[in-house]
Amino acid sequence: MLAVTNLEVRYGGIVAVKGVSFAVEPGEMACLIGANGAGKTTTLKALARLLPARGEIRYRGARIDTLPGHALVSRGLALVPEGRGVFSRLTVAENLAMGAYHRPRHEGGEVGADLDRIHELLPRLKERRHQLAGTLSGGEQQMLALGRALMGRPRLLLLDEPSMGLAPLMVQKVFEVIRTIAAQGVTILLVEQNARLALEVCQRGYVMESGRITLADTASALAADARVRAAYLGS
């Protein structure tokens, strides 16, 4: 589904991502874990074409590293950004509609059916549909960001720190939704500060340190690795 080769991202003279290579298989949940500043969010932004990058990015077999970011949405690649990125002055319903902006008008009925499915998956969004997004709780905004991305019918979902700033109970609810999305066949690449949780829900994991991938294995193998346990799992 996704193959990244020698990805490099610079901020001026600083190289933030240094020749990173990894892959995500169709239907897989994979995660990037690492400390703050390791380059995880920068990597996702480069994949979504929000940052200029060098290297090769292949999505569903075709190179996308020369395409603008808006062209990727219609191809089924969606990013749920760090901090949710909801449109605070729009209502919940308007935010969800923005997720389907690229879809042609003749799909109006299908868009409505997709909205019904999202309301079923995330019933709080239906309850809050007339409320301004900026007045929602952090957890509700995270649900809205997920719902907005799903309105684009993604095949590959990039999730950036979905648990950040949320209470433990809300984190549990958000990840229940993420598991449901994955079970429906959506491929997921997850960036998550909570390494223990990320390795519990994913099949494959990559450890980033100082802009490089230093470890790659199945999630269960990484969770059992003494280096990972000492650095990220507190044991």
Side-chain angles (χ1 to χ4, degrees):
M1 180 66 75
L2 179 70
V4 180
T5 306
N6 294 327
L7 184 71
E8 181 181 291
V9 184
R10 293 175 176 265
Y11 293 105
I14 299 173
V15 184
V17 176
K18 306 167 183 175
V20 162
S21 299
F22 64 93
V24 183
E25 297 298 326
E28 187 174 53
M29 279 190 70
C31 61
L32 291 173
I33 63 173
N36 286 332
K40 307 183 302 296
T41 290
T42 298
T43 297
L44 285 198
K45 287 183 176 180
L47 298 180
R49 307 298 297 134
L50 298 179
L51 289 175
R54 297 177 180 176
E56 183 174 292
I57 306 170
R58 287 189 175 271
Y59 165 64
R60 300 175 61 200
R63 289 192 67 167
I64 62 170
D65 45 88
T66 59
L67 298 176
H70 65 81
L72 301 184
V73 180
S74 60
R75 295 172 182 239
L77 190 152
L79 169 67
V80 177
E82 181 182 15
R84 296 118 199 176
V86 300
F87 300 104
S88 61
R89 295 189 177 184
L90 299 182
T91 65
V92 168
E94 289 167 336
N95 268 268
L96 292 175
M98 288 296 292
Y101 79 94
H102 69 283
R103 295 170 62 175
R105 291 187 177 181
H106 67 75
E107 287 189 3
E110 295 180 21
V111 170
D114 288 343
L115 182 60
D116 289 341
R117 283 192 287 271
I118 288 169
H119 283 162
E120 184 177 352
L121 177 65
L122 304 166
R124 186 64 63 89
L125 298 185
K126 185 175 183 179
E127 296 171 11
R128 300 280 197 262
R129 61 188 180 276
H130 301 305
Q131 189 170 327
L132 294 180
T135 65
L136 299 177
S137 70
E140 290 169 340
Q141 288 188 15
Q142 188 63 65
M143 297 293 190
L144 178 55
L146 283 167
R148 182 183 59 193
L150 293 177
M151 286 296 292
R153 287 192 172 180
R155 294 171 180 260
L156 173 62
L157 190 59
L158 309 177
L159 298 177
D160 195 359
E161 300 284 6
S163 75
M164 185 175 65
L166 302 184
L169 183 59
M170 185 55 71
V171 170
Q172 180 180 344
K173 290 181 179 179
V174 166
F175 271 83
E176 286 174 0
V177 172
I178 292 171
R179 287 189 182 98
T180 300
I181 294 169
Q184 293 172 348
V186 178
T187 304
I188 293 176
L189 176 59
L190 168 70
V191 160
E192 178 55 58
Q193 189 69 25
N194 187 332
R196 186 181 301 276
L197 180 57
L199 293 175
E200 284 177 0
V201 302
C202 291
Q203 291 85 48
R204 182 174 302 279
Y206 298 93
V207 178
M208 287 196 75
E209 296 178 352
S210 301
R212 292 185 171 90
I213 289 179
T214 56
L215 291 171
D217 211 325
T218 63
S220 58
L222 288 178
D225 188 293
R227 294 164 293 180
V228 174
R229 297 183 67 85
Y232 305 109
L233 305 182
S235 59

